[in-house]
Amino acid sequence: MKQGLATRVPWQGVAYALIYQEMKMPKLKTHSGAKKRFKISGKKKKNGPPKVIAGAANRRHGTSLRPRDMMRQSRGTMVLFGTDGVNVMKHYMRNSF
């Protein structure tokens, strides 16, 4: 064997690959419940941060006990308050914006 050349250990490549796999960051997955409840609008617009749109609350059951005005006003969707929207995007929908 010539001097000055490093010998290669046969398992060196495998060990390096295992260490490299451990160092990679895990994938960030979107919360599956958040996908069904929220929608993000205005992702690529220049007029401010994206907004989170959600359906109205308190419309699942017991609606006959609620006031008629409340049920009428809670139709459709609404834009969440700024900090609530930031929390939804930060914790549940990381890959959506």
Side-chain angles (χ1 to χ4, degrees), residues 29-38 91-93:
K29 295 185 177 181
T30 299
H31 193 276
S32 61
K35 284 190 279 191
K36 300 167 190 170
R37 289 172 173 83
F38 304 111
H91 296 294
Y92 299 113
M93 303 186 79

Side-chain angles (χ1 to χ4, degrees), residues 2-44:
K2 297 180 182 178
Q3 285 187 328
L5 293 176
T7 59
R8 181 161 186 219
V9 182
W11 50 265
Q12 184 177 13
V14 175
Y16 177 76
L18 290 175
I19 292 171
Y20 180 72
Q21 283 180 350
E22 290 175 6
M23 289 173 26
K24 287 199 307 190
M25 292 292 290
K27 289 184 177 180
L28 298 175
K29 295 185 177 181
T30 299
H31 193 276
S32 61
K35 284 190 279 191
K36 300 167 190 170
R37 289 172 173 83
F38 304 111
K39 179 182 168 189
I40 297 179
S41 68
K43 297 179 195 174
K44 299 177 182 176

Side-chain angles (χ1 to χ4, degrees), residues 69-85:
D69 291 342
M70 177 184 170
M71 298 312 297
R72 197 179 315 118
Q73 291 169 1
S74 63
R75 285 184 195 142
T77 58
M78 55 192 68
V79 177
L80 291 185
F81 188 72
T83 53
D84 292 334

